[in-house]
Structure formats: C-alpha cells, structure tokens
Amino acid sequence: SQQGEEDPQALSIQEGENATMNCSYKTSINNLQWYRQNSGRGLVHLILIRSNEREKHSGRLRVTLDTSKKSSSLLITASRAADTASYFCATVSLSGSARQLTFGSGTQLTVLP
Amino acid sequence: DADVTQTPRNRITKTGKRIMLECSQTKGHDRMYWYRQDPGLGLRLIYYSFDVKDINKGEISDGYSVSRQAQAKFSLSLESAIPNQTALYFCATSDSSGTGEKLFFGSGTQLSVL
C-alpha cells in the first residue's frame, strides 16, 4: 500500500513560475524525502526532512513538513524547463521491524519554455 | 564515479521463462533494494538486504527471489515470468552508517513479459 500520496498528479507551469507539490502520508514517520525522476531514468534524491524539522531549503527547493497534518510540500522556485520530471515523496515509517522507504505515486511536473 | 549499475537495461521475455536481473554497486553501501515501478503506482519494494547474510521480503515479493552474492551484488530473479510482471525495475542502495535512509538508484531495467 502507498504511504505517501502526492497532489496534484500532474502540474503544468510556465518557466519562471513557482511549482508546489504536496504529499500526504498515513503513519508516523522518522523522515520524509523527495526524489526526482526524469522520464525512464532512476530516481535522484533531492532533500530529506526529519520529523522534528518544519522547513528545509536546498538551492531553489523548499520543503515543509507538518506532522500534525501528516503532510509535506515541495516548492520549486523560478522553475526551468529542465525541472520537467516526476517528483516523488517517500517516507520512512517509525513502525515495523526495519526502516524502509515507502513511495507515493508521484507528481508529473511540466515546465513550459 | 561510484555508481549503481543494472543489467540488462531492457529485456523482453516470454511467459514461463526464468530470468535474472543483476545489480552491482561501487558505492561501498551495505544496504541494497529492488523496487518495481508501474505507471501511476509509484515504486513498490520487492526485496531488500541490509547485509550479505540478510534478505527480507518487501511489499510485493510473490513470484520473485533474490540473491546477495556479495556486498556489491544483488540479483533479482523471476522464477516463471508472467505478463503482469512487466514493469520498470530499479535497484537501489543506501549506507546505514553515512547517508542513512537516502537511496541511490540505478538506471533501471525495463522488463516486458509477453
């Protein structure tokens, strides 16, 4: 079963605009991560935010985490055509015998030049 | 560069055939994983291994088996392939002592079962 669910499933914006993607999850987590996937390629780690953090920045990326609402958002500022990709959130749950990443179904971002 | 390499990149096989997908890594990571990706479903964990003597089932292990031949090698086998195993398969690694749960992915194997 999917732990994280991204919203929207698809997003199309103009170059230079900001893109915001949301992720909701179901169980308590240790950390939440965002990954990027270019078409047909492997996923690339973007940023990790721990359960005791509320906001984190990395270059043009800003991630927020609200553990009370079990949600996270990924903001990409000043988007570029090269940002076109699928973006996945993944959570590491506190439950279970081993800490494994569980991925959502992703948001397909298209940045139009 | 240290890397995660999957072979083959593409494979077409017939129902009932046994096939093996291979993964090797030069990152020196202790943990390795196999995921499959289906359109609209994200990634689902098939098997994972935290060291050479450790093998664990993931969410969707039925119909699959794995072998951790060495710290750097982790192979996935489909004993008798069926069409609904058509998917994009990814190997990934992580380092329990360094970057923690951050995963590093291979480029994937596109498997088609006819």
Side-chain angles (χ1 to χ4, degrees), chain B residues 8 30 47 55 62 102:
Chain B
D30 52 342
Y47 271 96
I55 300 289
D62 287 350
K102 174 181 174 180

Side-chain angles (χ1 to χ4, degrees), chain A:
Chain A
S1 62
Q2 302 289 12
Q3 159 77 318
E5 293 295 334
E6 287 90 342
D7 171 59
Q9 289 188 328
L11 177 62
S12 184
I13 59 173
Q14 294 293 134
E15 206 165 24
E17 295 181 338
N18 295 341
T20 299
M21 289 158 270
N22 302 297
C23 170
S24 60
Y25 57 91
K26 299 173 184 175
T27 62
S28 296
I29 61 171
N30 175 273
N31 67 67
L32 184 146
Q33 303 176 35
W34 286 90
Y35 287 79
R36 166 194 169 123
Q37 182 184 32
N38 288 85
S39 180
R41 305 297 298 275
L43 281 72
V44 176
H45 182 270
L46 294 176
I47 196 164
L48 180 153
I49 186 166
R50 300 201 178 278
S51 59
N52 61 352
E53 297 175 310
R54 291 297 167 258
E55 187 171 313
K56 206 161 183 180
H57 297 255
S58 177
R60 294 185 295 113
L61 306 180
R62 173 179 167 249
V63 170
T64 61
L65 179 64
D66 187 335
T67 53
S68 67
K69 295 181 179 179
K70 291 186 169 60
S71 67
S72 173
S73 67
L74 170 67
L75 169 68
I76 303 174
T77 60
S79 64
R80 306 166 182 168
D83 293 328
T84 294
S86 292
Y87 292 83
F88 294 87
C89 69
T91 54
V92 177
S93 174
L94 287 176
S95 63
S97 59
R99 300 205 319 208
Q100 309 160 35
L101 270 180
T102 304
F103 286 82
S105 53
T107 292
Q108 172 61 52
L109 172 66
T110 302
V111 181
L112 303 170

Side-chain angles (χ1 to χ4, degrees), chain B residues 3 7 12 15 22-24 28 32 34 40 58 64 66 71-72 76 88 95 98 101 103 107:
Chain B
D3 213 346
T7 56
I12 300 174
T15 297
E22 299 191 21
C23 178
S24 63
M32 299 186 74
W34 276 103
Y64 302 94
V66 291
Q71 186 184 35
L76 175 72
L88 183 56
D95 177 8
E101 294 95 346
L103 293 185
S107 297

